[in-house]
Each structure stands twice: as structure tokens, then as C-alpha cells.
Amino acid sequence: MSQFAINLLFVGASFVLYIGIAIWSRAGSTKDFYVAGGGVHPVTNGMATAADWMSAASFISMAGLISSGGYANSTFLMGWTGGFVILAMLLAPYLRKFGKFTVPDFIGDRFYSRTARVIAVVCLIVASVTYVIGQMTGAGVAFSRFLEVSSTAGIWIAAAIVFLYAVFGGMKGITYTQVAQYIVLIVAYTIPAVFIAMQLTGNPIPMFGLFSTHSESGVPLLEKLDDVVNALGFQDYTADVDNKLNMVLFTLSLMIGTAGLPHVIIRFFTVPKVADARWSAGWALVFIALLYLTAPAVASMARLNLMTTVYPEMAGQVENYDAAADNALQYEDRPGWFRTWEETGLINFEDKNGDGRIQTYNDSNADFADTAQQRGWEGNELTVNNDILVLANPEIANLPPWVIGLIAAGGIAAALSTAAGLLLAISSAISHDLIKNTINPRITEKGEMLAARISMAGAILVATYLGLNPPGFAVQTVALAFGIAGASLFPVLMMGIFSTRMNSAGAVCGMLAGLLSTLLYIFTYLGWLFIPGTNMLANTPENWLFGISPLSFGAVGAIINFAVAFAVSRVTKAPPQEIQDLVQSVRYPKGAGVAHNH
């Protein structure tokens, strides 16, 4: 059986499973559609939350960025994991006690303001649409390789699948679909990692293999990787970060963005009791840890495998790397996986010195220029999209065809699971918060369900269109969404729970200040509405304000949000007494409303 047929078998079987679950658990009421009836078991919810969380950014792109940037990009691991702790301890149980369907529901009622509700809807839509762009980008990468179609066609296929199981199943269908998707993606991620760890180190546990000895050269794996990348003009893979301020702000931005993301928060409204919200978060951390502890090993081994594919003699070398660098891979002898990925346009080779060999090195390193000139190199000739490394890893390591088919299904599952959760958050914000609670309170439950499905379909179309021209790699686009959520929604949620003095005027002004300042900073460097060529400044460190990257500005936006909100609330009228009593009630959970099991 051909590799293409195997890929179709794995991916097709997973699609049948997802759509079958959606039909079986079709939402019959708005409560089913928004919160799965409120009766999901904490372990089930934890697994679904993990799948909702571990998007294409985690599965496909995160390891690729760590692979290319080394320790510097470990901030993604630290920020996202730390954010879940904040969410579990400070937000999830209190929001579940409040007992509403959505984040704007809480904000609208807590701050007794339609304006606050509408602005929360806007913040939610901006953050979620930005996030789903990254999912569509990742899905396009996965489909383009494994179904042998263009990335554009891959994005449209992903949109069609999400439409089928998300629009009809709602949260009820999405929950059980995400449980299946978690199983698929975690098996798909860990099995290739085990194979590759065994090949390179003899240790079957990837996270331990990362700190084991490289079998072919007999030196520690990370030391071997440092030697290889140094010989090609790159800094040490394990090198420290120069800009500590940017690193701290970026980690903080990811943490508060995690705690402010509506599609994750809404999952804690699906459990029966307040205590179950905490347990759900705990189980989600366990399930997420299985992938996140493996990711650094996958990233490191992928980088070493790629470099030693281009420079085969470096694999067993321990000191004479110059000679190994002179014997780069002949382009005509490139392996089959290289040729396949070239067809997708995600690997590109340009023979700049005309010697027929592939030279890849850091041609932006001025200190390495003389060495490159002595070797006869005239520029880096190989461009590899970071988003392909995890997907290509099994092929680079010559693993069995069924492993490649498995990771195809896993990568697609990761993209689709989070896309579905995001689209549900967008549709519920439009149908429930905007239409039901603001524009037309008399709408029937049937009409609200129809509005929810139409708005989800519209959101799919918008996200698909934007996914065709993303502002960066999948994980970078997702990081922008975290910054937007952290700057706009996280502060108002925290103040709504822990401050009896925070009023509607403070919340509205804070959200606007956080959202607009963050969007202005992002659009300055990445273009207005992410449209290429509309940026006012080049996205380079020398142009950043105080060295703060657009990816890191969410933390600054959150500080602005807090400061403005507190300042305005102090000079305006205090909230009504019943609202202050409500805050006290939410702060001290004593139970939750009735939920039904299914």
C-alpha cells in the first residue's frame, strides 16, 4: 500500500469518527449547544479541554519554533503551562459558580452593563478569530502534505470538516469529538518521538533521551546539537536569551492570555459542580503534560536529524566539523521526504554557488562570513518552514509508513479540535450575548440555535479566508491571540471576581484601553488587520519600543487595562450593593445549579 493510501486511511477513519460522534451527540437545546448540558464528567472535560488547548500551534508549530530557536523559544512551554495554573486557581471555579454560558455573559451581568457585554463580545471575537487563523494555517500545512493538495485546498477541506461536526453538534458534539481527537493526537505525537529517541539515543522515553548520549558520536545529545549548529554559524542551541525583559513579558503574555481565552474558559461551564471545574483543570494539565514534556525532545531531535541529513558526516563527527561541512548532501541525492515536501512549497532549495550541493547555514551571522567564504558558500540555500518539522520528523527518521499516517491524523486532529472550540466561542458570543441578550431578548430557543449555527458558519468562512494569508507561523499567530485575550479579557475577569469596587465604567474603559493599545502596537509592525504591506514599521528588534516584541505586548496591554480600570472606577460611582454581594457570593463557592447528565 502506498504512503498516500495509508495517509488517506488514517485521516479518513478519523474524519468518520468525528462526524459520527457529532451525529450521535447532536445538540437538541441551547444548553446542549453552549455547555453540553452542564453534565460532563471532570476527566472527560479535562481530556476535551486538553484537546481544545493543544492546537496546531502546540502539535505542529511549537516544536518547530523550539527546534529553530532552541532555549529562547521555550517560553511557549513556560507561558502556556503557567497560564493553566492561573486559570485553575483564580478563574475556573469562580466562573463556574456564576453559572452562565459565556464569558461576555459574566462580564455583562457582573458589570450590569450592555456596553460592557458588547465590548467583551468584540474582544472575544478579535482574539478568537486571530487564534483560529493559526489553526487554519496549521491545518493547511498538514493537509497539503498528507493529502497531497495545495495548502489553500487543505484549508478549505479543514473548514468543511469543522463545519460538519461543530455546526451540528455544538458543545455537546465538540466535547466528545475532542476526547477522540485528544487520543489521536497524543498517540500520534508520542509514538514517533519514542522511535526517534530510540534511534538517536537508545532511550525509549523522549524526555530522558534528550539528556542521554547520542549513539553515533558518543557525546551528550544536546552537546552534539550545539556542536553541529555552531559549525554552521548558529548560536548554541542551549544559549541564554539576551533580551530578558522581552522574554519575561512574552511568558507573562502567554500566561494571562491562557487564563483569558474564552474557548478554554467556556469548557469549565460544562461540568456539574464548582469543585469539578478545579478537577477538570487538574486533569487537563495532566493530559497536556504528556505532550509538553515530549515537545523539547521532539524539537531537538528534529533539528539534529535535519542538519545531519544535509551534512551526513556530521552525525558521527566529534571534532573535525569543517571537513564534514565540505561534504554536504548532493541535491540529486536528496531523500524522498525532501522531494515530497518540496512539492508543497514548504521546503525550497536554491543552488546559489552552483555546486549541486545543499548548503544550509546562518548567513546573517557576520562573524561566520569568512568561514562561509572559505568553504565556497554564497548564502543559505535551504529554506524550511518551521511548521513542517514535527510532521516531517517520522519521514526524516525513516520510520514505518503507518507512523507517518498516524502523525498525519494527529496533526489534523490538533488543528480541528481547537478550531471547533474557537468557532463555538465566537458563535455563542454572537447568538447568545449579542442577539439574545442585547438586540432581541424575545428570540425563541429555536431561533437562537439557528443564529448560533449561522454565525458559526460565517466565522468559519472569515477564519478560512484570513488563514490563507496568515501574519506568521501558526504558533506566532496564536501568540498574538494570547496577547489580545490577555490584554482585554483577563484583567476584567480578575477584577470582576476579586474587586467589589470595580464598576461598569472602569471595566469598559479598561477593556477598550487594553484592546486598542495592543492592537495598535501589533498592527504597527504586522500590518493593519494583518494585511501585508500596511505595517508602519518593520518588525525588527531595533524598531520595537524598549525591545518589546509585538508577540510580548499583551502583558503591557494588560497593565494598561488594569491601570485605566482602577483609575476610572475610583472617580466614578461604586457598583450597586447587589452587585457587590454577587461578587462576594462568587468569591466563596458553595455549590452550583442543577445540571443534567447525558
Side-chain angles (χ1 to χ4, degrees), residues 453-468:
R453 287 180 167 130
I454 291 174
S455 59
M456 185 179 284
I460 290 173
L461 290 175
V462 172
T464 303
Y465 174 76
L466 293 173
L468 298 174

Side-chain angles (χ1 to χ4, degrees), residues 104-129:
D105 238 359
F106 170 80
I107 293 173
D109 286 5
R110 161 60 183 87
F111 295 106
Y112 51 96
S113 168
R114 282 191 175 186
T115 302
R117 184 188 298 271
V118 171
I119 293 174
V121 169
V122 172
C123 294
L124 183 152
I125 291 173
V126 172
S128 297
V129 168

Side-chain angles (χ1 to χ4, degrees), residues 35-102:
V35 293
V40 180
H41 191 278
V43 177
T44 303
N45 196 49
M47 191 175 292
T49 303
D52 206 351
W53 171 248
M54 291 191 298
S55 60
S58 289
F59 188 98
I60 297 174
S61 194
M62 180 178 65
L65 271 188
I66 296 174
S67 178
S68 64
Y71 168 75
N73 283 334
S74 63
T75 46
F76 288 98
L77 292 170
M78 296 185 289
W80 285 341
T81 307
F84 239 95
V85 176
I86 294 175
L87 180 60
M89 299 301 293
L90 299 181
L91 291 180
Y94 305 115
L95 292 173
R96 175 60 188 91
K97 173 63 172 74
F98 196 77
K100 293 294 183 178
F101 283 161
T102 66

Side-chain angles (χ1 to χ4, degrees), residues 32 264 341 415 448 474 499 505 539 546:
D32 281 343
V264 175
W341 280 101
E448 188 180 350
S499 173
N539 187 23
F546 302 116

Side-chain angles (χ1 to χ4, degrees), residues 59 63 185-210 221 290-302 305 389-395 397 399-400 402-404 406-407:
F59 188 98
L185 73 87
I186 200 65
V187 170
Y189 201 88
T190 53
I191 286 181
V194 169
F195 272 104
I196 294 167
M198 280 290 292
Q199 282 185 351
L200 292 180
T201 68
N203 193 321
I205 304 175
M207 58 283 288
F208 295 156
L210 179 62
L221 181 75
L290 295 177
L291 188 146
Y292 274 29
L293 289 173
T294 306
V298 170
S300 305
M301 294 172 188
N305 268 335
L389 283 180
V390 170
L391 300 177
N393 216 10
E395 297 173 278
L399 298 186
W402 67 268
V403 179
I404 298 170
L406 184 63
I407 206 166

